[in-house]
Amino acid sequence: MRRAVAVRLSALLAAGALTAATGVALSTTTASAAAGGVTGYATQNGGTTGGAGGQTVRATTGTAIHQALCSRASSSTPITIQVEGTINHGNTAKVSGSSCNTAAGVIELKQISNVTIVGVGNGAVFDQLGIHIRESRNIIIQNVTVRNVKKSGSPTSNGGDAIGMESGVRNVWVDHVTLEASGGESEGYDGLFDMKDNTQYVTLSYSVLRNSGRGGLIGSSESDTSNGYVTFHHNLYENIDSRAPLLRGGIAHMYNNHYKRLNESGINSRVGARAKVDNNYFEDSKDVLGTFYTDAAGYWQVSGNVFDNVTWSSRSGDHNPAGPNPTSNTSVSIPYGFTLDGANCVPNVVAQTAGANKGLKVSDGSCTPQSPDPTDPGPTDPGEPTDPGPTDPPAGTNLSLGAGADGSSKASGTSYGNVVDGNTGTYWSPSGSTGSVSVKWGSATTVSKVNIRLASGSGTIGAYRLLNHDTGAVLASGSGAGTVSFSPASLKKITLEITNASGTPRIAEFETYAS
């Protein structure tokens, strides 16, 4: 049980309810990747692109956010929702549709994929209203503030979590956000950033978590150990009692975070969890790393951290801090690249970069904040189809020849088998702008490259995903046709899922190669 909250702040002033209409403003742009670039574990498992390649929508109410999700062609059609203003209970209603599953009083990202929510203009504040991600994948949340979400009292939302994820969630990037409360469980609040029930491949970067009894958890109970592969970097945890985070099973990587006034405990690794803790700055805090409130031990690998005015309790029973001289008791291999700032400069770098409305500044490891690259491609006009470029096949054997084919959504007069017949004069088309076609084999086949060839008169592929149909893993995503490479995968079936298009695509050949 969590100890009594040590520090309390007066409640934040709640903004008044907006009375704006729930209309949605549609622009004629497609969404580009979020500024600064995805990092950490969210780059794995096929990567995290959010709404890239889809339509951009402007919303000033929670109802408008839901309406944007429900107006898509399908639950996987990419979309970027630009949010400005205060989102609260007064302007967040349930909206129904075949491409959404929403609810009143919470921003519901349920059973959907390929969505970006980004604060713009004068900023976006979700006031006493949480963001719930369930059974969803490929989600980006950026440049927003979520505050004072309650599980008891009034009003309540999202079980008291500012951002909560559960039930098979995959690939979420939360970046440059501010998550805050005004106390702990006794005041009605719960966690700021929670993951449970098989949530994986998540990154929390350049964000502020403050004034809460609970920073967040990975795993809701000692038996919920299917979560993990989470990266936390360049975040500020300030005035948090515990759970910074609580990790039950799985792997987490914490680097270049500034932990300030952790009042009871910090990184709590339990039940076989493994935490890699690199170049963080812990300040004015207590028991910042260890296994707490359980006898089911977790593990850690530590390097380059600074402990500034950190106090350590004696080990006793279910309270096992790693200090006063933390040493590694496991080894964690990290599959992605990252550059560390020196721990001594972390407070300064994080102060200038972390949180909403900081200009999306990032660090390149030089201890000097950098503005987003101005050369990053901006939105493009979907009315101007891009040239897919040459589609000459890669060297090697086209494994699709002689393989089987199937799919979903087939236009009249076209055939799935046309994509594996070696004839560019025949093709498959979806019945509309979205659909999928698969190549399949009788036994596992290693594939690391595909080439998508379009037939004459084809529409343009606005966005697609390549899926390992056996596991559901995203191998690659992008737009247009041509050749794409990815990490070798052994599979019996590979699927091209078209999620957005200009006109009707005509896929002449879906070629697959081992290398």
Side-chain angles (χ1 to χ4, degrees), residues 80-126:
T80 291
I81 305 173
Q82 297 179 337
V83 182
E84 184 174 19
T86 300
I87 311 301
N88 55 32
H89 285 259
N91 62 40
T92 303
K94 174 182 173 65
V95 178
S96 298
S98 60
S99 62
C100 65
N101 189 346
T102 70
V106 62
I107 298 302
E108 190 76 88
L109 307 181
K110 183 177 181 180
Q111 298 167 342
I112 62 173
S113 60
N114 310 325
V115 173
T116 295
I117 293 178
V118 56
V120 297
N122 293 321
V125 177
F126 295 80

Side-chain angles (χ1 to χ4, degrees), residues 132-466:
H132 183 218
I133 305 171
R134 182 184 178 95
E135 299 171 69
S136 296
R137 61 174 61 226
N138 195 25
I139 306 294
I140 294 174
I141 300 173
Q142 190 174 48
N143 199 40
V144 303
T145 294
V146 186
R147 67 188 186 193
N148 287 340
V149 181
K150 286 191 171 185
K151 68 176 181 179
S152 62
S154 180
T156 61
S157 178
N158 199 30
D161 296 336
I163 296 178
M165 292 162 266
E166 62 179 314
S167 300
V169 171
R170 293 291 186 275
N171 291 87
V172 177
W173 180 33
V174 179
D175 177 66
H176 283 92
V177 303
T178 297
L179 309 177
E180 55 192 8
S182 296
E185 188 175 21
S186 61
E187 284 77 28
Y189 306 100
D190 197 5
L192 295 178
F193 194 70
D194 279 11
M195 292 156 275
K196 57 188 178 181
D197 190 16
N198 195 22
T199 293
Q200 298 180 0
Y201 301 105
V202 176
T203 296
L204 176 66
S205 56
Y206 298 101
S207 294
V208 172
L209 297 87
R210 64 159 70 103
N211 303 336
S212 176
R214 296 169 170 174
L217 56 76
I218 305 172
S220 60
S221 69
E222 305 292 74
S223 62
D224 184 15
T225 58
S226 60
N227 310 278
Y229 307 118
V230 183
T231 302
F232 302 83
H233 74 89
H234 293 93
N235 303 300
L236 170 65
Y237 284 78
E238 183 176 20
N239 190 27
I240 302 290
D241 286 348
S242 63
R243 301 186 180 183
L246 164 59
L247 175 63
R248 292 175 166 122
I251 293 174
H253 186 198
M254 298 85 170
Y255 71 91
N256 286 151
N257 300 291
H258 184 197
Y259 300 91
K260 186 175 183 180
R261 288 169 38 225
L262 303 182
N263 302 312
E264 298 176 10
S265 62
I267 300 170
N268 185 353
S269 182
R270 298 161 59 164
V271 202
R274 292 187 294 149
K276 184 169 172 60
V277 185
D278 296 325
N279 286 35
N280 301 282
Y281 196 101
F282 298 92
E283 181 179 6
D284 298 338
S285 297
K286 176 183 179 182
D287 291 341
V288 298
L289 174 65
T291 296
F292 307 107
Y293 320 128
T294 182
D295 57 5
Y299 308 96
W300 43 84
Q301 180 181 355
V302 293
S303 176
N305 302 288
V306 170
F307 301 94
D308 179 3
N309 192 32
V310 171
T311 59
W312 299 93
S313 302
S314 299
R315 296 187 179 187
S316 175
D318 64 358
H319 192 81
N320 291 281
N325 297 301
T327 58
S328 301
N329 56 17
T330 192
S331 178
V332 181
S333 177
I334 299 299
Y336 51 82
F338 60 99
T339 303
L340 292 171
D341 286 304
N344 282 314
C345 70
V346 162
N348 181 56
V349 169
V350 169
Q352 296 183 66
T353 59
N357 306 315
K358 288 288 187 71
L360 301 179
K361 290 183 178 181
V362 298
S363 174
D364 61 1
S366 67
C367 290
T368 302
Q370 309 290 318
S371 295
D373 188 350
T375 64
D376 282 349
T380 57
D381 187 345
E384 299 292 333
T386 57
D387 184 351
T391 58
D392 291 337
T397 301
N398 175 12
L399 303 174
S400 298
L401 297 177
D406 60 21
S408 66
S409 180
K410 180 176 65 173
S412 176
T414 72
S415 171
Y416 300 122
N418 288 341
V419 304
V420 296
D421 64 0
N423 181 358
T424 58
T426 63
Y427 58 87
W428 161 83
S429 287
S431 58
S433 60
T434 62
S436 65
V437 63
S438 303
V439 178
K440 58 184 181 179
W441 298 269
S443 58
T445 301
T446 298
V447 179
S448 66
K449 186 177 295 184
V450 305
N451 185 40
I452 304 302
R453 298 168 67 93
L454 299 180
S456 175
S458 173
T460 301
I461 301 174
Y464 70 83
R465 298 195 305 166
L466 284 170

